[in-house]
Amino acid sequence: QLTARAMVRRELPKHQRDLIVERYRSGEGYKIISKALDIPWNTVKTIIIKWRKYGTTVTLPSTGHPSKMYEKTTNLLM
């Protein structure tokens, strides 16, 4: 049984986000795109909303302070 903690969120590749927007612009609805690409309906909706608001499918920078783990890994790379 999966719990909310066991579920891992992953980012869709840019080409897949572009394909969602392309299909949406051609007149397809969220549910049709979702079924065709096997992506959750809510994910398709979120990508379309972000595209309409910001005009891009590029991953936007997140807000807030970076995690300590992120700081440690970037310090190691420098």
Side-chain angles (χ1 to χ4, degrees), residues 11-29:
E11 182 180 319
L12 287 177
K14 183 169 180 349
H15 69 86
Q16 211 166 15
R17 294 190 304 258
D18 290 339
L19 181 60
I20 290 170
V21 170
E22 186 180 309
R23 285 174 161 244
Y24 176 77
R25 291 182 74 187
S26 72
E28 291 184 25

Side-chain angles (χ1 to χ4, degrees), residues 9-65:
R9 293 175 53 167
R10 61 180 175 83
E11 182 180 319
L12 287 177
K14 183 169 180 349
H15 69 86
Q16 211 166 15
R17 294 190 304 258
D18 290 339
L19 181 60
I20 290 170
V21 170
E22 186 180 309
R23 285 174 161 244
Y24 176 77
R25 291 182 74 187
S26 72
E28 291 184 25
Y30 297 159
K31 289 183 180 180
I32 293 171
I33 297 169
S34 170
K35 287 180 182 179
L37 301 177
D38 195 28
I39 297 172
W41 172 84
N42 205 35
T43 303
V44 171
K45 178 181 151 192
T46 303
I47 290 168
I48 299 298
I49 289 171
K50 280 186 180 180
W51 170 74
R52 291 175 76 186
K53 184 174 183 179
Y54 299 108
T56 183
T57 59
V58 175
T59 304
L60 300 172
S62 51
T63 61
H65 191 279

